[in-house]
Amino acid sequence: MGKVFVVGIAGGSGSGKTTLTNEVAASLAPDVAVITHDSYYRAHHDMTYDERTQLNYDCPDSYETELLVQHLAILLQGEPVECPTYDFAIHDRTDQTVTIRPASVIVVEGILLFENPALRALMDLKVFVDASADVRILRRLQRDVRERGRSIESVIDQYLTTVRPMHEAYVEPSKRYADLIVPTDGEGNFGEAVRVLVDRIQARQ
């Protein structure tokens, strides 16, 4: 295996990062590994469920980013890592891990990837998925109710109290570090963006 190419895909919650990540990964399969920053939410086994629901999950300190940096460094050395898993329904990390094996391309996805200098330094290409606030809250509402067992009220409350202010404080400012900004419409159609990204990755490997 030659030089590993690391792609970071960031953007606000509900911007379409995961969709773009999955489509890029599918185009590069099988020699690609995907890591989500959300898997590295800190464990809070010592708290009750109600206490965990009150935490701010959109600030840099909510992530164990130092472990993600360590895992990326190990993958770049050609060794596998045991990635933590996170259960959004209970707001806590589980005891299970997922083995991530080395690959020629590693795609890392998350809202705060570019906020952390050590993480940014490991990336060869930084992509920011840009969507309006209206699009992002609607997508988040649909996803969290359907996939994460949340109530509409809890999603709206979380958005107003932490998601929106943290987006303005950390996510939006980190856009300046992006090498490429991908605007997304309400449908999240990334066909052209995927082609551009895959071409750039393959040309620089």
Side-chain angles (χ1 to χ4, degrees):
M1 186 172 68
K3 183 184 183 303
V4 179
F5 195 89
V6 181
V7 183
I9 298 181
S13 176
S15 61
K17 300 180 307 302
T18 303
T19 300
L20 180 60
T21 297
N22 290 341
E23 292 185 15
V24 169
S27 297
L28 295 168
D31 197 13
V32 61
V34 175
I35 302 179
T36 64
H37 200 186
D38 283 0
S39 297
Y40 291 81
Y41 272 126
R42 296 188 184 278
H44 293 289
H45 303 325
D46 56 326
M47 293 184 176
T48 66
Y49 172 81
D50 288 340
E51 288 172 333
R52 293 196 298 270
T53 63
Q54 301 303 310
L55 292 174
N56 181 350
Y57 290 97
D58 292 86
C59 67
D61 289 345
S62 64
Y63 295 91
E64 194 177 355
T65 303
E66 61 274 19
L67 180 60
L68 173 56
V69 170
Q70 179 184 338
H71 281 180
L72 271 178
I74 293 171
L75 286 167
L76 288 170
Q77 294 170 3
E79 299 294 331
V81 298
E82 291 300 317
C83 176
T85 61
Y86 188 83
D87 187 338
F88 288 93
I90 63 171
H91 301 275
D92 206 0
R93 188 182 290 185
T94 74
D95 294 328
Q96 306 299 312
T97 60
V98 174
T99 302
I100 305 291
R101 303 193 181 283
S104 294
V105 179
I106 299 173
V107 182
V108 190
E109 177 253 316
I111 65 171
L112 290 169
L113 296 184
F114 305 159
E115 185 276 336
N116 186 282
L119 198 50
R120 284 201 311 271
L122 294 173
M123 296 176 184
D124 298 294
L125 179 63
K126 297 181 289 295
V127 181
F128 190 94
V129 183
D130 208 9
S132 69
D134 287 347
V135 168
R136 287 187 282 105
I137 180 55
L138 288 173
R139 284 184 183 156
R140 184 184 177 99
L141 192 61
Q142 290 176 323
R143 179 199 66 195
D144 284 6
V145 171
R146 183 173 61 241
E147 300 175 14
R148 298 181 177 178
R150 307 283 174 78
S151 68
I152 293 175
E153 293 77 11
S154 71
V155 176
I156 293 173
D157 180 65
Q158 187 178 29
Y159 178 80
L160 293 175
T161 56
T162 60
V163 177
R164 185 172 66 180
M166 294 301 99
H167 178 89
E168 294 170 352
Y170 297 108
V171 183
E172 189 68 23
S174 76
K175 182 165 65 174
R176 68 182 184 271
Y177 298 112
D179 302 306
L180 186 65
I181 295 175
V182 177
T184 172
D185 57 24
E187 299 302 317
N189 185 354
F190 292 116
E192 182 61 27
V194 171
R195 286 190 290 273
V196 170
L197 280 175
V198 170
D199 286 347
R200 288 188 62 167
I201 294 166
Q202 292 175 334
R204 292 176 60 180
Q205 277 187 277

